[in-house]
Amino acid sequence: MSTALKTTYSAPVHHLNIESASEILDVMGWSDIPSTLKRSIAVDVIGYRDELLGLYATRDPHVMARRRSVYWWVEAYRCGTCSLETALDALKMDIV
């Protein structure tokens, strides 16, 4: 069962790429992160944007945990607490 609630069915489908995520990355202050890190979080960032636009809402604990993880690892990389490789490894999603 899906816990995401699509609030509007007339919303356009967005392509999942860095260009789609660049505006929200700018708003979040993350435009300076490397493109490899941008690619690894592009789906998450597009999800942030779509939810802020009211296209859907979710309270799924796994989605919320992933969002906290993305924020934590990107900020850890930006402040120098971890290397790029560590952040990428931590944020890697295994797609089955």
Side-chain angles (χ1 to χ4, degrees):
M1 173 172 55
S2 174
T3 58
L5 173 63
K6 189 167 175 78
T7 58
T8 178
Y9 290 94
S10 62
V13 175
H14 299 286
H15 296 286
L16 301 177
N17 57 40
I18 293 175
E19 291 76 28
S20 297
S22 65
E23 185 176 343
I24 195 71
L25 286 168
D26 291 341
V27 170
M28 294 178 78
W30 292 354
S31 59
D32 62 334
I33 63 175
S35 60
T36 52
L37 189 52
K38 288 178 182 178
R39 277 193 298 275
S40 71
I41 64 169
V43 172
D44 302 292
V45 171
I46 290 168
Y48 295 159
R49 181 203 58 205
D50 289 349
E51 191 158 1
L52 289 171
L53 291 173
L55 301 179
Y56 71 92
T58 184
R59 298 301 297 164
D60 182 279
H62 300 291
V63 172
M64 294 171 70
R66 172 68 183 181
R67 288 181 179 175
R68 284 190 301 273
S69 180
V70 166
Y71 182 81
W72 196 91
W73 285 107
V74 170
E75 289 300 317
Y77 166 74
R78 291 184 71 231
C79 74
T81 304
C82 74
S83 68
L84 176 60
E85 293 77 22
T86 300
L88 289 171
D89 190 47
L91 293 170
K92 181 174 52 177
M93 290 190 300
D94 294 324
I95 310 249
V96 180

